[in-house]
Amino acid sequence: MRAIKANQIGLQLTVSIAYLASFGLLIWLLVRVVSQERKAAIWHRISGLDVKLAVGGFVAFYVIEMGLGTLNQLLFNQQQTQNTQTINTLMGSSPWTFYLLAFSATFFIPGD
């Protein structure tokens, strides 16, 4: 990964805070709307079924991804899609990008 230039730290910090704040605002808004509509608890304990569904979905995602990757290679003679190339470029361009995307993908993706 590239080193961050000293004059870019303030800008990247500001953009990072705005990025995370936008997630916070969206989560607050969605919880408020869903609470008003459902009139029931939004949060619940994680059950064995939840874990099985998460692991099963994870495995299914990779099996499908491998199958589509093979199909992409057979039909179009490409190792990876343009989208994957762009994501790899973004992830390698700055450690801030990598850490923010990893954090938001881990904690802000809706579950149930």
Side-chain angles (χ1 to χ4, degrees), residues 2 5 8 13 16 22 26 30 34 36-37 44 52 66-67 69 72 74 85 89-90 93-94 98 101 103 106 111:
R2 250 179 15 181
K5 295 178 184 173
Q8 292 180 337
L13 183 60
S16 299
S22 67
L26 285 172
L30 289 172
V34 170
Q36 290 175 353
E37 293 297 320
H44 67 277
K52 288 177 186 175
M66 289 182 341
N72 186 36
L74 291 173
Q85 291 172 351
T89 301
L90 280 173
S93 67
S94 166
F98 173 77
L101 286 176
F103 178 81
T106 302

mmCIF file of all heavy atoms in Angstrom, residues 2 5 8 13 16 22 26 30 34 36-37 44 52 66-67 69 72 74 85 89-90 93-94 98 101 103 106 111:
data_model
loop_
_atom_site.group_PDB
_atom_site.id
_atom_site.type_symbol
_atom_site.label_atom_id
_atom_site.label_comp_id
_atom_site.label_asym_id
_atom_site.label_seq_id
_atom_site.Cartn_x
_atom_site.Cartn_y
_atom_site.Cartn_z
ATOM 1 N N ARG A 2 0.357 2.271 -0.560
ATOM 2 C CA ARG A 2 1.046 3.546 -0.638
ATOM 3 C C ARG A 2 1.039 4.264 0.699
ATOM 4 O O ARG A 2 0.087 4.176 1.450
ATOM 5 C CB ARG A 2 0.272 4.443 -1.588
ATOM 6 C CG ARG A 2 0.841 4.748 -2.825
ATOM 7 C CD ARG A 2 0.017 5.613 -3.717
ATOM 8 N NE ARG A 2 -1.106 6.327 -3.142
ATOM 9 C CZ ARG A 2 -1.903 7.091 -3.841
ATOM 10 N NH1 ARG A 2 -1.717 7.223 -5.114
ATOM 11 N NH2 ARG A 2 -2.901 7.723 -3.290
ATOM 12 N N LYS A 5 0.610 10.950 2.162
ATOM 13 C CA LYS A 5 1.395 12.169 2.235
ATOM 14 C C LYS A 5 0.907 13.012 3.408
ATOM 15 O O LYS A 5 -0.280 13.009 3.743
ATOM 16 C CB LYS A 5 1.269 12.961 0.940
ATOM 17 C CG LYS A 5 1.866 12.239 -0.245
ATOM 18 C CD LYS A 5 1.679 13.029 -1.512
ATOM 19 C CE LYS A 5 2.205 12.238 -2.699
ATOM 20 N NZ LYS A 5 1.895 12.877 -3.963
ATOM 21 N N GLN A 8 -2.119 15.231 3.050
ATOM 22 C CA GLN A 8 -3.395 14.586 2.738
ATOM 23 C C GLN A 8 -4.077 13.992 3.967
ATOM 24 O O GLN A 8 -5.217 13.572 3.879
ATOM 25 C CB GLN A 8 -3.178 13.474 1.717
ATOM 26 C CG GLN A 8 -2.774 13.949 0.352
ATOM 27 C CD GLN A 8 -2.579 12.791 -0.611
ATOM 28 O OE1 GLN A 8 -2.340 11.666 -0.193
ATOM 29 N NE2 GLN A 8 -2.695 13.071 -1.890
ATOM 30 N N LEU A 13 -8.795 12.216 6.762
ATOM 31 C CA LEU A 13 -9.477 12.082 8.048
ATOM 32 C C LEU A 13 -10.883 12.665 7.970
ATOM 33 O O LEU A 13 -11.850 12.060 8.439
ATOM 34 C CB LEU A 13 -8.664 12.759 9.151
ATOM 35 C CG LEU A 13 -9.206 12.642 10.563
ATOM 36 C CD1 LEU A 13 -9.296 11.177 10.976
ATOM 37 C CD2 LEU A 13 -8.339 13.410 11.535
ATOM 38 N N SER A 16 -13.042 10.380 5.890
ATOM 39 C CA SER A 16 -13.311 9.153 6.646
ATOM 40 C C SER A 16 -14.402 9.382 7.685
ATOM 41 O O SER A 16 -15.304 8.556 7.842
ATOM 42 C CB SER A 16 -12.040 8.670 7.348
ATOM 43 O OG SER A 16 -11.046 8.374 6.410
ATOM 44 N N SER A 22 -22.075 9.176 7.730
ATOM 45 C CA SER A 22 -23.199 8.900 6.824
ATOM 46 C C SER A 22 -23.820 7.537 7.134
ATOM 47 O O SER A 22 -25.040 7.384 7.081
ATOM 48 C CB SER A 22 -22.758 8.979 5.361
ATOM 49 O OG SER A 22 -21.857 7.942 5.042
ATOM 50 N N LEU A 26 -27.689 6.947 8.379
ATOM 51 C CA LEU A 26 -28.575 5.987 7.722
ATOM 52 C C LEU A 26 -29.101 4.939 8.692
ATOM 53 O O LEU A 26 -30.286 4.574 8.648
ATOM 54 C CB LEU A 26 -27.852 5.298 6.559
ATOM 55 C CG LEU A 26 -27.669 6.142 5.306
ATOM 56 C CD1 LEU A 26 -26.781 5.417 4.309
ATOM 57 C CD2 LEU A 26 -29.012 6.464 4.681
ATOM 58 N N LEU A 30 -33.018 4.429 9.517
ATOM 59 C CA LEU A 30 -33.677 3.148 9.266
ATOM 60 C C LEU A 30 -34.264 2.537 10.535
ATOM 61 O O LEU A 30 -35.378 2.004 10.514
ATOM 62 C CB LEU A 30 -32.710 2.174 8.602
ATOM 63 C CG LEU A 30 -32.364 2.506 7.155
ATOM 64 C CD1 LEU A 30 -31.249 1.606 6.651
ATOM 65 C CD2 LEU A 30 -33.584 2.386 6.267
ATOM 66 N N VAL A 34 -38.217 1.770 10.816
ATOM 67 C CA VAL A 34 -38.639 0.390 11.055
ATOM 68 C C VAL A 34 -39.347 0.264 12.406
ATOM 69 O O VAL A 34 -40.339 -0.441 12.525
ATOM 70 C CB VAL A 34 -37.432 -0.573 10.953
ATOM 71 C CG1 VAL A 34 -37.792 -1.970 11.430
ATOM 72 C CG2 VAL A 34 -36.935 -0.626 9.524
ATOM 73 N N GLN A 36 -41.140 2.477 13.930
ATOM 74 C CA GLN A 36 -42.487 3.041 13.820
ATOM 75 C C GLN A 36 -43.419 2.112 13.058
ATOM 76 O O GLN A 36 -44.601 2.025 13.357
ATOM 77 C CB GLN A 36 -42.433 4.398 13.119
ATOM 78 C CG GLN A 36 -41.786 5.467 13.955
ATOM 79 C CD GLN A 36 -41.626 6.777 13.217
ATOM 80 O OE1 GLN A 36 -41.888 6.871 12.017
ATOM 81 N NE2 GLN A 36 -41.186 7.799 13.921
ATOM 82 N N GLU A 37 -42.882 1.394 12.073
ATOM 83 C CA GLU A 37 -43.716 0.522 11.258
ATOM 84 C C GLU A 37 -44.011 -0.825 11.925
ATOM 85 O O GLU A 37 -45.105 -1.329 11.829
ATOM 86 C CB GLU A 37 -43.051 0.275 9.894
ATOM 87 C CG GLU A 37 -42.972 1.496 9.015
ATOM 88 C CD GLU A 37 -44.338 2.037 8.633
ATOM 89 O OE1 GLU A 37 -45.242 1.238 8.356
ATOM 90 O OE2 GLU A 37 -44.495 3.272 8.631
ATOM 91 N N HIS A 44 -32.544 -8.967 18.246
ATOM 92 C CA HIS A 44 -32.819 -10.236 18.906
ATOM 93 C C HIS A 44 -31.508 -10.988 19.109
ATOM 94 O O HIS A 44 -30.500 -10.676 18.490
ATOM 95 C CB HIS A 44 -33.805 -11.079 18.094
ATOM 96 C CG HIS A 44 -33.260 -11.549 16.777
ATOM 97 N ND1 HIS A 44 -33.255 -10.768 15.639
ATOM 98 C CD2 HIS A 44 -32.673 -12.707 16.417
ATOM 99 C CE1 HIS A 44 -32.703 -11.439 14.657
ATOM 100 N NE2 HIS A 44 -32.341 -12.619 15.091
ATOM 101 N N LYS A 52 -26.107 -20.808 11.253
ATOM 102 C CA LYS A 52 -26.144 -21.741 10.117
ATOM 103 C C LYS A 52 -26.441 -21.007 8.806
ATOM 104 O O LYS A 52 -25.830 -21.282 7.774
ATOM 105 C CB LYS A 52 -27.191 -22.824 10.344
ATOM 106 C CG LYS A 52 -26.795 -23.837 11.400
ATOM 107 C CD LYS A 52 -27.912 -24.838 11.627
ATOM 108 C CE LYS A 52 -27.570 -25.759 12.783
ATOM 109 N NZ LYS A 52 -28.667 -26.666 13.103
ATOM 110 N N MET A 66 -16.991 -18.796 -7.543
ATOM 111 C CA MET A 66 -16.032 -19.634 -8.274
ATOM 112 C C MET A 66 -16.655 -20.134 -9.583
ATOM 113 O O MET A 66 -15.995 -20.168 -10.620
ATOM 114 C CB MET A 66 -15.569 -20.807 -7.403
ATOM 115 C CG MET A 66 -14.663 -20.370 -6.284
ATOM 116 S SD MET A 66 -13.985 -21.645 -5.199
ATOM 117 C CE MET A 66 -14.972 -23.066 -5.399
ATOM 118 N N GLY A 67 -17.905 -20.537 -9.528
ATOM 119 C CA GLY A 67 -18.581 -21.003 -10.744
ATOM 120 C C GLY A 67 -18.704 -19.908 -11.785
ATOM 121 O O GLY A 67 -18.424 -20.126 -12.968
ATOM 122 N N GLY A 69 -16.813 -17.245 -11.962
ATOM 123 C CA GLY A 69 -15.458 -16.917 -12.410
ATOM 124 C C GLY A 69 -14.986 -17.869 -13.488
ATOM 125 O O GLY A 69 -14.369 -17.457 -14.481
ATOM 126 N N ASN A 72 -16.877 -17.037 -16.617
ATOM 127 C CA ASN A 72 -16.321 -15.807 -17.184
ATOM 128 C C ASN A 72 -15.036 -16.114 -17.962
ATOM 129 O O ASN A 72 -14.803 -15.572 -19.039
ATOM 130 C CB ASN A 72 -16.052 -14.788 -16.076
ATOM 131 C CG ASN A 72 -15.621 -13.443 -16.599
ATOM 132 O OD1 ASN A 72 -16.088 -12.990 -17.639
ATOM 133 N ND2 ASN A 72 -14.737 -12.787 -15.873
ATOM 134 N N LEU A 74 -14.183 -19.063 -19.289
ATOM 135 C CA LEU A 74 -14.488 -19.881 -20.467
ATOM 136 C C LEU A 74 -15.127 -19.065 -21.588
ATOM 137 O O LEU A 74 -14.785 -19.233 -22.755
ATOM 138 C CB LEU A 74 -15.405 -21.042 -20.083
ATOM 139 C CG LEU A 74 -14.789 -22.133 -19.212
ATOM 140 C CD1 LEU A 74 -15.866 -23.117 -18.769
ATOM 141 C CD2 LEU A 74 -13.680 -22.853 -19.971
ATOM 142 N N GLN A 85 -11.158 -5.733 -10.754
ATOM 143 C CA GLN A 85 -9.922 -4.985 -10.974
ATOM 144 C C GLN A 85 -9.993 -3.615 -10.314
ATOM 145 O O GLN A 85 -9.027 -3.165 -9.694
ATOM 146 C CB GLN A 85 -9.648 -4.835 -12.476
ATOM 147 C CG GLN A 85 -9.284 -6.124 -13.158
ATOM 148 C CD GLN A 85 -9.205 -5.978 -14.676
ATOM 149 O OE1 GLN A 85 -9.576 -4.957 -15.233
ATOM 150 N NE2 GLN A 85 -8.751 -7.033 -15.343
ATOM 151 N N THR A 89 -7.681 -2.200 -7.230
ATOM 152 C CA THR A 89 -6.934 -0.947 -7.360
ATOM 153 C C THR A 89 -7.250 -0.017 -6.196
ATOM 154 O O THR A 89 -6.355 0.587 -5.591
ATOM 155 C CB THR A 89 -7.274 -0.251 -8.696
ATOM 156 O OG1 THR A 89 -6.953 -1.130 -9.764
ATOM 157 C CG2 THR A 89 -6.502 1.041 -8.857
ATOM 158 N N LEU A 90 -8.542 0.117 -5.855
ATOM 159 C CA LEU A 90 -8.941 0.979 -4.731
ATOM 160 C C LEU A 90 -8.367 0.489 -3.410
ATOM 161 O O LEU A 90 -7.884 1.281 -2.599
ATOM 162 C CB LEU A 90 -10.467 1.043 -4.619
ATOM 163 C CG LEU A 90 -11.188 1.974 -5.557
ATOM 164 C CD1 LEU A 90 -12.694 1.779 -5.435
ATOM 165 C CD2 LEU A 90 -10.821 3.412 -5.281
ATOM 166 N N SER A 93 -4.727 1.360 -3.139
ATOM 167 C CA SER A 93 -4.326 2.750 -3.333
ATOM 168 C C SER A 93 -4.055 3.487 -2.031
ATOM 169 O O SER A 93 -3.252 4.397 -1.996
ATOM 170 C CB SER A 93 -5.386 3.499 -4.138
ATOM 171 O OG SER A 93 -6.575 3.620 -3.390
ATOM 172 N N SER A 94 -4.729 3.109 -0.958
ATOM 173 C CA SER A 94 -4.566 3.826 0.300
ATOM 174 C C SER A 94 -4.973 2.915 1.450
ATOM 175 O O SER A 94 -5.992 2.236 1.373
ATOM 176 C CB SER A 94 -5.462 5.070 0.289
ATOM 177 O OG SER A 94 -5.575 5.608 1.577
ATOM 178 N N PHE A 98 -8.763 0.834 2.453
ATOM 179 C CA PHE A 98 -8.833 -0.564 2.865
ATOM 180 C C PHE A 98 -9.495 -0.701 4.228
ATOM 181 O O PHE A 98 -10.428 -1.485 4.407
ATOM 182 C CB PHE A 98 -7.421 -1.169 2.894
ATOM 183 C CG PHE A 98 -7.386 -2.558 3.467
ATOM 184 C CD1 PHE A 98 -7.808 -3.635 2.717
ATOM 185 C CD2 PHE A 98 -6.943 -2.776 4.757
ATOM 186 C CE1 PHE A 98 -7.792 -4.917 3.245
ATOM 187 C CE2 PHE A 98 -6.924 -4.047 5.299
ATOM 188 C CZ PHE A 98 -7.340 -5.122 4.538
ATOM 189 N N LEU A 101 -13.340 0.404 4.206
ATOM 190 C CA LEU A 101 -14.193 -0.576 3.542
ATOM 191 C C LEU A 101 -14.297 -1.863 4.356
ATOM 192 O O LEU A 101 -15.381 -2.446 4.461
ATOM 193 C CB LEU A 101 -13.680 -0.872 2.140
ATOM 194 C CG LEU A 101 -13.920 0.217 1.103
ATOM 195 C CD1 LEU A 101 -13.272 -0.150 -0.227
ATOM 196 C CD2 LEU A 101 -15.392 0.474 0.906
ATOM 197 N N PHE A 103 -13.983 -2.150 7.646
ATOM 198 C CA PHE A 103 -14.786 -1.846 8.836
ATOM 199 C C PHE A 103 -16.266 -1.757 8.492
ATOM 200 O O PHE A 103 -17.109 -2.368 9.143
ATOM 201 C CB PHE A 103 -14.309 -0.521 9.458
ATOM 202 C CG PHE A 103 -15.100 -0.109 10.665
ATOM 203 C CD1 PHE A 103 -14.821 -0.661 11.907
ATOM 204 C CD2 PHE A 103 -16.118 0.809 10.553
ATOM 205 C CE1 PHE A 103 -15.553 -0.289 13.016
ATOM 206 C CE2 PHE A 103 -16.853 1.187 11.657
ATOM 207 C CZ PHE A 103 -16.568 0.637 12.903
ATOM 208 N N THR A 106 -17.798 -5.077 7.586
ATOM 209 C CA THR A 106 -17.947 -5.963 8.738
ATOM 210 C C THR A 106 -19.094 -5.543 9.652
ATOM 211 O O THR A 106 -19.892 -6.367 10.082
ATOM 212 C CB THR A 106 -16.642 -5.986 9.560
ATOM 213 O OG1 THR A 106 -15.578 -6.409 8.711
ATOM 214 C CG2 THR A 106 -16.763 -6.931 10.740
ATOM 215 N N GLY A 111 -28.037 -7.564 8.728
ATOM 216 C CA GLY A 111 -28.125 -9.000 8.884
ATOM 217 C C GLY A 111 -29.495 -9.527 8.589
ATOM 218 O O GLY A 111 -29.824 -9.947 7.505
#
